[in-house]
Amino acid sequence: MPRQEMEAWFTELGEKPFHGRQVMRWMHQRGVDDFNAMTDIAKSLRGRLAEQATVAVPPILSDRTASDGTRKWLFDVGNGQAIETVFIPEARRGTLCISSQVGCALDCSFCATGAQGFNRNLTAAEIVAQVFHATRTLDGGDTGRRAVTNVVFMGMGEPLANYKNVLPALKILQDDYGYGLSRRRVTVSTSGLVPLIDKLSKDVNVALAVSLHAPEDSLRDELVPINKRHPIRALLEACWRYARTTNAKSITFEYTLIDGVNDSPAHARGLAALMRNRPAKVNLIPFNPFPGTAYLRSSDKAIKRFNNQLHRLGIRTMVRRTRGDDIDAACGQLAGQVADRTRIRLGRKEFSLVREAS
Ligand code: SAH
Ligand code: SF4
């Protein structure tokens, strides 16, 4: 529960709302999951809280650390379904990459999560639990050193297709009584649900990353099928609006480089033309293979050429270093355990789930 709801809940219990803030602090800042240990709250109230609520992390099915220090947890979210969370340590920051859905219905052709299909949305509690667990496990305790400095919604799922649960989670991440993360330290990555990009800009202030992957519609239709519903032009207009409304310096555009598919000099020129003189920076992601995919990663030479070309054309760009690929923790490799229900429950009707969400 975000702060407002938490305070309202205490009022409903006939208690002072500030107890809600106390509980938030115990949970999110001190990693406490036992109401009885929340010692600045009256004992009798602690007992009532324990009767009515739980602070719990889904059972952990695996916890692995890659040779480069990247760590990945697999959480059991019930009914044989599991989701993944990845921590990426760097010299000056620690990024936690969290999941928002069990699988994903959007079916991008180059993504392991998409290939798995969709089972269900995560609850706000399941989203926040990933951050709760990682900070509790990794933060430096009394030293005050924070391991998790940034949170990105780049794990499994399309966050904006689970808007109703992602929004409260974002509020908790940014709240001073929650994780206290500033707007630059929380990033929502979307494949481009245009109406919800606009909504997001009104509801919170977070950094936006957009999965572009192609400079023209025919290719993007193939790679990111939601493009048929929200084509590049409409998507980019929403991005520039987002930057204006939220006062953001720039929007990040993710562009996965796939050998012979979207990595030619003509693609780079097309991309540069879209980004020129805009509040944009481009994140180039070397394609990460997963079982069953026919795509290949662009060669190092092609990646360098693409990056240099954008650079020469005046576009801010960087190549994202591949992290944790020896434990399948790199971008696009998160698969968890997903029993696909989109086809069973909704037939093959395109995007019906997304329509529901928006
Ligand atoms: N659903 C959201 C967030 C999760 S994916 C979105 O699509 O933006 C995080 C990023 O990894 C996205 O840019 C996605 O397109 C990219 N990605 C997916 N599969 C990939 C792969 N196999 N290799 C490299 N990047 C991939
Ligand atoms: Fe879903 Fe994002 Fe993967 Fe596309 S890239 S299938 S939107 S998780």
Side-chain angles (χ1 to χ4, degrees):
M1 276 189 270
R3 195 199 312 181
Q4 267 193 335
E5 271 114 278
M6 195 72 146
E7 290 174 345
W9 183 51
F10 276 86
T11 308
E12 253 172 60
L13 292 174
E15 300 286 344
K16 293 259 167 26
F18 81 89
H19 292 309
R21 301 195 290 275
Q22 285 177 307
V23 169
M24 283 185 80
R25 223 192 257 139
W26 279 110
M27 291 192 297
H28 305 305
Q29 298 179 0
R30 297 180 208 161
V32 171
D33 59 2
D34 176 3
F35 288 111
N36 251 318
M38 302 183 181
T39 46
D40 56 2
I41 298 173
K43 229 180 171 153
S44 58
L45 178 54
R46 280 185 252 163
R48 283 177 71 205
L49 295 177
E51 275 165 25
Q52 304 209 16
T54 49
V55 184
V57 172
I60 293 164
L61 294 172
S62 86
D63 172 353
R64 297 168 69 196
T65 303
S67 52
D68 65 6
T70 301
R71 187 160 170 182
K72 182 172 87 166
W73 294 276
L74 181 69
F75 293 98
D76 178 353
V77 291
N79 293 322
Q81 309 302 308
I83 52 120
E84 299 186 312
T85 306
V86 178
F87 177 68
I88 306 140
E90 287 174 285
R92 267 192 236 108
R93 65 177 171 193
T95 303
L96 191 70
C97 178
I98 62 174
S99 294
S100 56
Q101 299 182 306
V102 183
C104 184
L106 296 188
D107 210 18
C108 299
S109 60
F110 55 92
C111 172
T113 307
Q116 295 246 309
F118 174 80
N119 187 274
R120 68 170 174 87
N121 283 327
L122 292 180
T123 63
E126 288 167 332
I127 297 170
V128 174
Q130 300 168 64
V131 186
F132 176 85
H133 178 71
T135 50
R136 187 157 79 140
T137 310
L138 301 169
D139 278 1
D142 291 339
T143 68
R145 198 183 63 81
R146 289 182 83 173
V148 178
T149 61
N150 295 61
V151 173
V152 298
F153 282 73
M154 295 185 186
M156 295 165 66
E158 165 52 52
L160 296 187
N162 182 16
Y163 196 87
K164 67 175 190 308
N165 296 334
V166 165
L167 183 63
L170 290 172
K171 288 183 178 164
I172 293 165
L173 291 178
Q174 297 195 302
D175 199 297
D176 285 345
Y177 291 93
Y179 295 87
L181 297 171
S182 72
R183 63 185 184 136
R184 289 194 319 279
R185 295 189 179 275
V186 178
T187 302
V188 169
S189 175
T190 178
S191 54
L193 304 189
V194 167
L196 294 165
I197 291 176
D198 285 323
K199 188 160 165 46
L200 187 70
S201 71
K202 289 173 193 126
D203 290 342
V204 274
N205 196 336
V206 294
L208 184 69
V210 171
S211 295
L212 194 60
H213 309 304
E216 29 97 12
D217 283 324
S218 58
L219 179 57
R220 194 164 189 269
D221 283 351
E222 219 177 276
L223 298 176
V224 186
I226 192 69
N227 192 67
K228 291 179 205 151
R229 199 163 145 74
H230 301 298
I232 292 175
R233 217 188 129 141
L235 173 58
L236 293 182
E237 278 165 11
C239 292
W240 315 140
R241 275 199 299 279
Y242 188 92
R244 269 199 310 276
T245 314
T246 63
N247 239 331
K249 266 209 232 92
S250 57
I251 307 291
T252 300
F253 290 90
E254 292 151 298
Y255 194 104
T256 296
L257 287 165
I258 310 172
D259 182 43
V261 173
N262 62 355
D263 61 350
S264 74
H267 292 121
R269 277 195 301 278
L271 180 60
L274 298 176
M275 304 281 119
R276 198 169 297 134
N277 298 325
R278 297 293 191 174
K281 57 179 187 222
V282 174
N283 236 228
L284 298 173
I285 314 174
F287 171 71
N288 293 306
F290 54 92
T293 181
Y295 292 130
L296 297 170
R297 176 180 296 188
S298 301
S299 67
D300 287 348
K301 208 171 132 204
I303 294 172
K304 224 184 197 158
R305 185 186 60 201
F306 201 94
N307 187 37
N308 289 342
Q309 201 178 343
L310 285 178
H311 198 79
R312 274 200 310 277
L313 292 167
I315 309 303
R316 280 198 295 153
T317 156
M318 59 161 282
V319 179
R320 198 183 284 177
R321 203 151 54 92
T322 300
R323 298 291 304 264
D325 56 345
D326 52 338
I327 55 165
D328 291 337
C331 302
Q333 292 185 321
L334 302 188
Q337 290 168 22
V338 180
D340 182 12
R341 288 166 48 169
T342 46
R343 287 169 185 95
I344 305 163
R345 281 178 58 224
L346 295 148
R348 301 212 58 142
K349 228 173 134 196
E350 261 179 330
F351 316 134
S352 43
L353 279 163
V354 178
R355 224 173 270 146
E356 233 172 57
S358 48

